[in-house]
Amino acid sequence: MSARTMQAHPSGEHEAAAAVAHGQSGMPMALVGMLLFIASEVMFFGGLFATYFNARAGFAGTWGPPEGGHIDLPLAAVLTAILVASSFTMQFGVWAIRRGDTGKLKLWTGITLGLGILFLAGQLYDYTELGFGLSDGVFSTVFYTLTGFHGAHVFGGAIGLTVVLARALRGQFSRQNHVAVEAVSMYWHFVDVVWIALFLIIYFLR
Amino acid sequence: MQPTAPRNRLRKMLRVGIPVLLTVLLAGCLLPPDPKTEAGRDVFNLYLVVLALAAIVFIGVEGFILYAVFRYRRKPGDDVLPEQLHGNNKVEVVWTLIPTVIVLVLFVVSIMTLNEVEARSENPGVTIEVQGFQWSWNFVYEDGPTIGPRGNEPPELAVPVGEPVRLILTSDNVIHAFYVPQFLLKRDMVPVNENGTPNDIEFVVSEAGTYAGQCAEFCGTDHAGMVFTVNAMPRADYDAYIAAIEDGETPPTGGGDCETTIDISANNTRFDIDEFEVPADTAFCIAFENLEDVPHNVAILSGSEALFEGSFLNEAGSIIYEVPALPAGDYTFVCQAHIQAMAGTVTVTE
Amino acid sequence: MATTTLEPRAGSYHRSWVLDWLTTVDHKKIGILYIVNSFLFFFAAGFLALLIRSELAVPGMQFLDQNTYNQAFTMHGTIMIFLFVVPVLAGFGNYIVPLQLGAPDMAFPRINALSFWLLPLGGLLIFSGYLFGGAAAEGWTGYAPLTSDRFAPGVGTDLWIIGLALVGTASIMGAINFIATIFKMRAPGMTLMRMPIFVWTILVTATLILLATPVLTAGLIALFIDRNYGGSFFDPAVGGNPILWQHIFWFFGHPEVYIVILPAMGVVSEILPVFSRKPLFGYKAFVFATVAIGLLSFSVWAHHMFTTGAVFLPFFSFMTALIAIPTGIKMFNWLGTLWRGKLILATPMLFSLGFLSMFLIGGISGVMLASPPIDFHVQDTYFVVAHLHYVFFGGSVFGVFAAAYYWFPKMTGRKLNEPLGKIHFWIHFIGFNLAFFPMHQLGLSGMPRRIGDYSPDAGWTILNMVSTVGAFMIAVSIIPFLINVVATLINGEPAGDNPWEGNTLEWATTSPPPPHNFDRLPPIHSERPLFFLTQGHGHAVERPEDLVEEEIVDEKPGDIERRPKDLV
Ligand code: HEA
Ligand code: HEA
Ligand code: CUA
Ligand SMILES: [Cu+2]
């Protein structure tokens, strides 16, 4: 993929060790780690989605929010748009730093972080408006669990973005040296994809 | 090489070991209990087939390991390396095929038996709902009584022999499992929500008697105490049993509380045994099973005088005779319809 | 990002020994921490097993009441699996994999340390239920709705959930580390198809962990929500589905059993060739079989659910039986390795042969269980308990002891005493069979598992007594092992770099290895890079790759002994 120079292998006082730490080519170690981590996250959400489908298949009556509650499609659509947009802005940031443009990196990362926070705020607002709680039946439980865990991942991503932004402001990234940006962006895209799946399943596959 | 010594040792071992192993297997080790339902008989036979396949694999592999340990053991001071063999594709193919074949055979016979076990009749003679709860059972008869635990006695499930019995297995708390080892059958009792259907099972008991049953799915503190008995009896007894309960009587006990029960079956106008022994001055039971649609009974004679006459089974079925106490001595038992062909000795010992 | 601080040099001697172990990021020390920690949990869980067996020796409740009995087998199963076998094998992996790859450390040394330290934390949390009104008591499988707050109100079950989630997270981090290490840190020349089989099995294991454990985590979280926040995933009383838990648990749980057997198979595949003085028969077939087992393991989970009436029996039965084929290939290749070898029956070899013969029994009973009608009879009876101990104990734990005897010299520089090792093996082996073989018959005659008491009329008493005697024999066999370890550490026979004349890279460095592992590496042209350094003078040569090795044999580090040795 990218910057070969970003290899993270032990180097240090021991020439011998260095001599043995050899020919690592291809993807930087940190990105390998991030990809593997994302693979495990895919399975985690896979498990949660499976509970959703299982609950829905075995449910007596009409599937949906309980009496007196509703789900807010327009708001969810807006949130989806925000998160998808943030994936683009993140990628602009990555492309910028691949060109070595640290200024643009700061700008796009900042915007992405802003969009992420907006998404979280929107989701919290949504929760207060729905009119049902987690313990109000099967639908409510899976709804809050899935969106809640997704929200927690957005929150985690936002922390990652904050770190990237802080390091960018201190000038720690360059064209050769920006593996953290790549890693966080991968994660952010992943979180975005999960949301799209969630959105389709919860709001359309009814 | 000087293979003779180890080879001899090995031969001796195999000569002793394999018969011992086979005897152990044949002596009834590693077998399920004698099955008391028709489908249970099928499962038992399937088990025998699978056990035989297992024994072949076991003896083959284990035998080779032992062989190798004795045959290829390095001798002290032998520093020459053996041939450095890295593999052989032909052999790989062969030993991929062997387990493949075994596995396919196993799969096919399993599914055939599965169909027997899972068969459901259109109209079972009896349908009973079995309710599991923490930690006992209720047996709810269709249009009939409900039998639950009585004091310290485990609850008893009465069923007729020789006809399909269907059980609907329900629970409204945790998962339990209905298990009667002598039926070689168990099924989970899963609590379901409004949308679910409970499990059911169906079986035909082939022999009257009482059989122990127990909850087999861990269900909390007193899971171990969640036991019951199945009391299988001829249809007439069954009807009387149910009627008695509906009249508020405690259920009549079947042959289950005999000290001694002798199993006798009749087929092709022959008894399956020609002698048995019982203690003197004690009542005992005979669990009699007629395997053909020819009238048979069991009677006990002293000379020509009948000490006990069992009622006839005019077609295939089973019954439990309660035989009064006999003084010590030798007697004959016969089928009174076929006195010549069906006779044997009863030894009553002090 | 991972940058390693290698061992502290002079100048940091003031750091205390304890602090050094607590803060180490060296894969070798972490590996040893894993192993020691796992053995402590093994003793704890083994102690519970002895309680269980004492209670079951005769009918009636003698030592425990029903509730403590239920806690005992729940903790026993949970701890044995999650805090003994999985971590102990991960510990050997941690120590050995970088060495066998010719790497200086794991890919992410700090994450490595973190994933270790989560283990004792998780384990203590699980155990701490005993301090707060009783540990979890719903079985290691925690079937819903027995685990709901209605039926299991105690905090013990919550601690069990949190502890397992932590341990699971730790193993996911460990798995990421292993996969990254194996893909990125191999020495030049170490192609994938030249990796030692142990590394292959760790790679497949790590992949299974990576993909299966998160699903359990999701399930545990759902369970936690049900218990504490009024969720309705699993409790049918509020619309949930208890079978869903079983699907989630076994989707994880079945791969889990291969997670604990594959590395043990890897260990045996290292040991058999060395002690038969032959290469592993059918290396490629082995690799493919390992990968095939890994793939199949995700499609068989419902064989634990045959009696639920909720799964499609023929499919899961068929897929389960299929696993016998790649496993059979392995078994036969092991036999092929023994064939015409020169077997040296040192303790590691004894335990490996023990593995072959005992795992075989467990595998066969597994295939019997895969037949639904038979399973209808023996499911949730002692037949299953026999099966699971033959594969776990007869398989994985024999593998663990084989690995311990085999790699102890590498880790400490001293060789465990052989006579004591053999005493350990034989008591262990006999005790094991006494303890667990009778359970097959108990199960066939209908003794359910997870009962603390049984009727004296059931006819189960004698076999239970035999089993209890066997269990205590196993416990006794641990004594010579412990004596051996302690005595060897104090005053053991120095091992030298390559006491067994092994052919993989861990034997190319000193015992114990320096912090950075290797000063120089031999060239790697086959899966046995050391073969010509140790054995290759004037003997039959089979493969062209080996010839190449002979030509460059002068490059070897000078410290490898060439003399043929009596190893025992
Ligand atoms: C290390 C752990 C381990 C391993 C490796 C296995 C391996 C296998 N297991 Fe086992 N299993 C468990 C651990 C393990 N299991 C545990 C812990 C449980 C109980 C969980 C609980 O409820 O608490 C369980 C339960 C369990 C069940 C459910 C029983 C029940 O609850 O009703 C089943 C059913 O199919 C099963 C099947 C198998 C099969 C087919 C294999 C196969 O992989 C075995 C393959 C190996 C061989 C077959 C031997 C070598 C092959 C040959 C020599 C080739 C020729 C052989 C033939 C053709 C037969 N196992
Ligand atoms: C790797 C896994 C593993 C291992 C190694 C073992 C090892 C043993 N297991 Fe168990 N076992 C399981 C995994 C394992 N088990 C699982 C998963 C279950 C199912 C749980 C469930 O149903 O939920 C189970 C269930 C189980 C049962 C069934 C309980 C029941 O259903 O009611 C029994 C009964 O005999 C048993 C016995 C034993 C015995 C005697 C040993 C012995 O081999 C143990 C030998 C070890 C020792 C004896 C330790 C020696 C240490 C000392 C002597 C020192 C003592 C310590 C101090 C003084 C500090 N185990
Ligand atoms: Cu009911 Cu166990
Ligand atoms: Cu399984």
Side-chain angles (χ1 to χ4, degrees), chain A residues 65-79:
Chain A
E67 206 67 16
H70 68 285
I71 48 175
D72 190 345
L73 178 61
L75 179 56
V78 172
L79 291 178

Side-chain angles (χ1 to χ4, degrees), chain B residues 30 62 72 84 92 110 186, chain C residues 333 357 377 379 441 542:
Chain B
L30 287 186
E62 215 74 69
Y72 300 125
Q84 299 295 297
E92 298 288 346
S110 295
K186 83 163 65 61
Chain C
N333 277 304
S357 47
H377 177 48
Q379 187 262 353
Q441 183 58 48
E542 266 270 303

